């Protein structure tokens, strides 16, 4: 079934070109990590994330750079890394806690900031795990900082 909310074009396998590219990026990330003995240093992760951010068109680049800065300030224990070609931040066990999905990555109308299952965002029996972002305002910065603090608590 094709998702009609995206403009990405599905291939005959059901995956869009953008999705296939992301999977290839993840395979390359795993291969690169294996070449380093499976270890990702904070410094290398930082370089990888900054490189991905530099490749992005505006406004994705500036939003991603601002999110990167917020996550580093609020949760310095998280290690920057790429994940499916996305800027992401992992805990000490290497589990991705949060990530930024630029709108341009999958030809969407908005970027998003999301969290994985290891983030401590649980609130009752249902809670959001991703937020759409069209601009980084001071209020959005505060919300992101609050979410990241909660996610690592």
């Amino acid at each position: 079934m094709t998702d009609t909310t995206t403009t990405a074009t599905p291939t005959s396998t059901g995956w869009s070109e953008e999705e296939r590219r992301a999977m290839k990026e993840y395979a390359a990330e795993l291969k690169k990590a294996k070449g380093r003995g499976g270890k990702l240093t904070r410094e290398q992760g930082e370089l990888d994330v900054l490189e991905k951010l530099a490749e992005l068109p505006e406004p994705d680049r500036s939003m991603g750079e601002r999110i990167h800065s917020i996550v580093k300030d609020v949760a310095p224990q998280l290690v920057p890394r790429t994940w499916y070609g996305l800027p992401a931040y992992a805990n000490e066990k290497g589990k991705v806690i949060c990530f930024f999905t630029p709108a341009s990555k999958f030809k969407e109308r908005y970027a998003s900031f999301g969290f994985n299952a290891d983030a401590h965002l649980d609130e009752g029996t249902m809670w959001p795990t991703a937020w759409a972002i069209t601009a980084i305002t001071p209020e959005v910065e505060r919300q992101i900082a609050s979410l990241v603090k909660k996610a690592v608590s």
Side-chain angles (χ1 to χ4, degrees):
M1 177 179 211
T2 302
D3 179 0
T4 58
T5 62
T6 182
T7 58
T9 307
T11 64
S12 61
T13 62
W15 298 101
S16 71
E17 279 302 315
E18 293 79 8
E19 291 165 331
R20 290 173 51 152
R21 195 173 313 117
M23 287 185 286
K24 286 179 182 178
E25 285 181 281
Y26 184 61
E29 292 162 5
L30 292 176
K31 186 175 181 180
K32 190 175 183 180
K34 187 176 180 183
R36 298 182 195 133
K39 301 280 183 180
L40 175 67
T41 65
R42 178 176 300 280
E43 294 76 20
Q44 186 59 53
E46 176 85 9
L47 290 173
D48 291 348
V49 166
L50 292 175
E51 182 181 296
K52 282 294 175 189
L53 291 171
E55 293 171 2
L56 296 175
E58 286 297 342
D60 287 336
R61 181 183 318 121
S62 57
M63 286 193 295
E65 288 171 345
R66 190 63 198 120
I67 288 171
H68 180 68
S69 178
I70 293 166
V71 173
K72 283 180 53 175
D73 289 346
V74 172
Q77 69 271 37
L78 294 180
V79 177
R81 60 171 287 188
T82 56
W83 181 65
Y84 293 95
L86 303 171
Y89 306 86
N91 65 15
E92 68 283 349
K93 295 177 184 173
K95 301 287 187 175
V96 170
I97 299 298
C98 56
F99 56 93
F100 173 65
T101 305
S104 58
K105 178 85 174 175
F106 298 106
K107 299 181 181 176
E108 296 287 347
R109 66 182 184 92
Y110 53 80
S112 65
F113 187 62
F115 295 86
N116 282 336
D118 287 298
H120 302 140
L121 296 178
D122 305 36
E123 207 170 278
T125 57
M126 184 175 157
W127 58 90
T129 59
W131 283 258
I133 303 173
T134 57
I136 302 283
T137 65
E139 177 58 27
V140 169
E141 288 181 1
R142 285 189 292 279
Q143 289 173 326
I144 291 170
S146 176
L147 289 165
V148 172
K149 282 180 191 175
K150 184 175 181 181
V152 298
S153 65

